[in-house]
Amino acid sequence: MAKKKPADHAAGSGVTRRGFLGSVGAGAVAAATGAASRAEAVPEITDPEEMVAVALTINGRRHRLLVEPRWTLLFVLRERLCLTGSKAGCERGECGSCTVLVDDEPRYACLTLAVEAEGREITTVEGLLVGEELGDVQRAFAEHDAFQCGYCTPGQVVAAEGLLRANPRPTEAEIRTGMSGNLCRCGAYAHIVKAVADAADGRKTGGGS
Amino acid sequence: MLPKFSHLRPATLREALAALDASDARIHGGGTDLVGCLRDRVFTTERVVSLSAIPELRGIAATGDGGLRIGATATLTEIAGHPAIADRFTAIADAARVVASPQLRNQGTIAGNLCQKPRCWYYRGDFHCLRKGGELCYAYEGENQHHCIFGGDLCYIVHPSDTAPALAALGAVCRVSSASATRSVPVDRLHVPPSVDPRRETVLEPDEVVTELVLPAPPAGLRSSYLKIRSRNAWDFALAGVALALVFDGDIVRSARVFLSGAAPVPWRSTAVEAAITGQALDAATIAAAASAAVAGAEPLSGNAYKLALFEGLVAGQLEAIRG
């Protein structure tokens, strides 16, 4: 059977290569501006009937609130509960800056609907403080200079915490794999790996949080 | 902000199936692909039906006949770390371990990984491509370095799943339910090539749910593996991947099932590689013949002929590794 190429398919509609490339260019511009206007758009007013009552356990505290089904856990943390440690980066599960622990496992809060987080134990970077002091992973990041701009750091710290809860004595390779879901635009990876290794050593010798 | 939808999270499969009977509902397994698609406006939906609170869809357990049952919402992390899977169905553990990132493996489900939407940048971007109901595939004359070398026909995506080729190689079967019926779909029949329909990825109807995967007991002499090559060695989709499930009798390959990822719009069964190694010992000549067979008949696009060398090297390397 002769295969049908897209060019054959498009022939009837008069699409030329030049015209196609032109439309791709225009589409890219439209995509860029469209994305920007979407990000700034004020959400339409929601009928209270469409809100759902949920109880979320975050850093050991139970919060009862009304949410829209489309709200992500990240949105609720930042915009409703003022827990702004978790950062909004790509908002599509590609950068890791929104990482939180869900029942001790690192997950992306940007890809988790708030309604799906009910009944789970959520831990954000704020929950890793010991009283007013930094937790051991946070301290290790500070001591090893494991950041430059710091935007990805809360997600990195929470990912490291999740790694150490599942594997308290990771090898360097396991640290690199465990931290592979978090991007650092400044490229502080070498120091991040050292910080995580140091935090693991601290727990091994009983100095952990 | 995502487009609006209503959300149901029933505690039983029966309730979920009833809710899916309505039109335009979408299934939420772990949500990683669904939320991404909604965010990028690949599609919208009136109603999201979540499977995350349904206990009967979870778990991994041996079956009475020596096989294995994997619940549809078992996470990729659970599968990657399961001792019986690593030991007896190695290709599946190999595959689950290299899907995406730790966070996505903690959240993503095995059935969701099989049923995920394509990753083609035109499909995910603001292009009304053929697969989204438009007129043509933009990749064919556009940027196609990540696209297919086999099975392209009007649409030139590659199927993004790593677990699908591993499950297909090991003969896994999906158990599928709707409100009115239950059926079995072998994983190697689950995906729809564009020559049949370029606008659907699986044979599943919108009201159907994968409830579990069933693996037959591994035959004596079975060895299996999965490896993919990526642009970066973490958190990336396959440029080229191969799942092997070979049954050895001494040094001789008695039977073989070989599926490629990153090659075609569906997990691509390479009957050419299977034929090249079946009945043979995996000596250097046989491996060289199998590596050539892997890319025989390939139809690379303008930007992805490099994949031929990747597949040749990958198939040769994996056959050497599995030979032991």
Side-chain angles (χ1 to χ4, degrees):
Chain A
M1 188 181 73
K3 289 191 174 179
K4 300 179 290 292
K5 300 298 184 195
D8 304 338
H9 191 83
S13 56
V15 175
T16 63
R17 181 173 170 79
R18 183 178 298 262
F20 162 73
L21 290 175
S23 69
V24 170
V29 172
T33 52
S37 61
R38 272 209 301 270
E40 289 156 17
V42 178
E44 57 270 55
I45 293 168
T46 295
D47 186 334
E49 298 287 305
E50 296 174 28
M51 305 286 273
V52 183
V54 293
L56 300 180
T57 306
I58 298 162
N59 301 331
R61 271 187 66 182
R62 199 169 143 87
H63 300 262
R64 292 164 55 81
L65 60 172
L66 287 172
V67 302
E68 286 189 56
R70 63 175 170 163
W71 286 358
T72 62
L73 177 59
L74 179 63
F75 178 84
V76 169
L77 289 174
R78 289 181 55 84
E79 308 297 336
R80 286 294 176 272
L81 299 175
C82 296
L83 291 167
T84 53
S86 307
K87 295 292 182 271
C90 68
E91 295 197 71
R92 48 187 36 76
E94 292 176 4
C95 79
S97 68
C98 67
T99 300
V100 298
L101 298 184
V102 177
D103 295 338
D104 293 334
E105 286 187 337
R107 290 195 182 193
Y108 298 135
C110 74
L111 291 184
T112 303
L113 298 176
V115 284
E116 290 282 330
E118 187 155 41
R120 318 293 294 266
E121 293 278 342
I122 312 298
T123 305
T124 69
V125 71
E126 290 90 344
L128 300 183
L129 287 168
V130 183
E132 294 290 307
E133 303 295 320
L134 295 179
D136 60 342
V137 177
Q138 291 165 306
R139 213 166 48 238
F141 268 66
E143 285 168 2
H144 284 271
D145 210 8
F147 44 78
Q148 286 185 39
C149 82
Y151 194 80
C152 73
T153 308
Q156 301 273 7
V157 166
V158 175
E161 177 70 28
L163 168 65
L164 295 182
R165 287 188 187 183
N167 179 3
R169 298 183 181 190
T171 63
E172 186 182 323
E174 287 168 341
I175 292 173
R176 288 184 182 278
T177 303
M179 299 300 293
S180 65
N182 294 73
L183 299 182
C184 171
R185 178 65 181 76
C186 307
Y189 294 109
H191 290 197
I192 290 170
V193 170
K194 282 184 191 154
V196 178
D198 199 31
D201 284 344
R203 290 189 187 192
K204 198 160 51 185
T205 55
S209 61
Chain B
M1 189 63 71
L2 301 175
K4 281 189 178 187
F5 51 79
S6 66
H7 176 268
L8 288 167
R9 197 182 179 208
T12 66
L13 178 61
R14 203 166 58 83
E15 291 169 87
L17 295 175
L20 284 168
D21 232 1
S23 63
D24 192 36
R26 294 276 178 172
I27 298 169
H28 178 295
T32 58
D33 195 40
L34 175 71
V35 173
C37 284
L38 292 171
R39 169 103 52 215
D40 288 337
R41 306 306 199 265
V42 173
F43 52 73
T44 57
T45 184
E46 295 284 317
R47 172 188 284 185
V48 169
V49 178
S50 172
L51 307 181
S52 64
I54 303 177
E56 63 201 277
L57 298 182
R58 297 187 198 136
I60 301 169
T63 57
D65 61 357
L68 195 73
R69 174 220 177 252
I70 305 176
T73 58
T75 66
L76 294 160
T77 295
E78 288 166 350
I79 290 165
H82 194 276
I85 296 179
D87 186 36
R88 300 168 65 223
F89 303 96
T90 313
I92 297 169
D94 287 352
R97 202 179 296 125
V98 296
V99 173
S101 66
Q103 287 91 330
L104 291 168
R105 291 194 290 274
N106 288 339
Q107 187 166 348
T109 65
I110 186 67
N113 192 261
L114 288 179
C115 298
Q116 64 185 302
K117 291 293 184 182
R119 285 280 156 185
C120 170
W121 37 47
Y122 297 106
Y123 178 80
R124 294 271 167 167
D126 280 2
F127 293 85
H128 193 54
C129 74
L130 179 67
R131 187 165 288 276
K132 285 194 290 195
E135 288 287 309
L136 79 166
C137 171
Y138 293 95
Y140 186 71
E141 290 197 348
E143 296 288 334
N144 53 33
Q145 52 269 49
H146 292 173
H147 291 71
C148 69
I149 58 168
F150 287 112
D153 195 352
L154 295 176
C155 167
Y156 292 81
I157 61 164
V158 289
H159 197 271
S161 174
D162 294 307
T163 62
L167 288 162
L170 288 164
V173 174
C174 299
R175 297 288 295 163
V176 176
S177 290
S178 69
S180 57
T182 297
R183 63 176 174 140
S184 291
V185 179
V187 172
D188 64 6
R189 305 274 177 82
L190 178 65
H191 299 99
V192 178
S195 56
V196 173
D197 185 346
R199 290 183 179 147
R200 64 190 299 174
E201 288 80 39
T202 72
V203 299
L204 302 178
E205 299 300 331
D207 65 341
E208 286 186 313
V209 170
V210 175
T211 57
E212 62 190 22
L213 287 145
V214 180
L215 283 148
L222 175 74
R223 294 179 211 163
S224 71
S225 68
Y226 176 78
L227 185 70
K228 66 172 169 179
I229 299 170
R230 298 170 267 191
S231 291
R232 57 191 291 264
N233 202 26
W235 200 354
D236 211 344
F237 292 93
L239 297 174
V242 62
L244 301 175
L246 311 186
V247 179
F248 284 86
D249 180 1
D251 291 340
I252 306 296
V253 176
R254 281 291 156 224
S255 66
R257 286 171 66 86
V258 178
F259 284 78
L260 307 180
S261 59
V266 297
W268 188 253
R269 184 169 188 178
S270 182
T271 52
V273 172
E274 294 173 4
I277 59 176
T278 301
Q280 308 289 325
L282 294 180
D283 54 28
T286 301
I287 288 175
S292 301
V295 295
E299 297 180 291
L301 302 167
S302 57
N304 68 3
Y306 72 91
K307 285 195 177 190
L308 303 187
L310 285 188
F311 275 108
E312 285 187 85
L314 180 66
V315 167
Q318 286 300 89
L319 287 173
E320 281 170 16
I322 207 165
R323 179 183 61 186

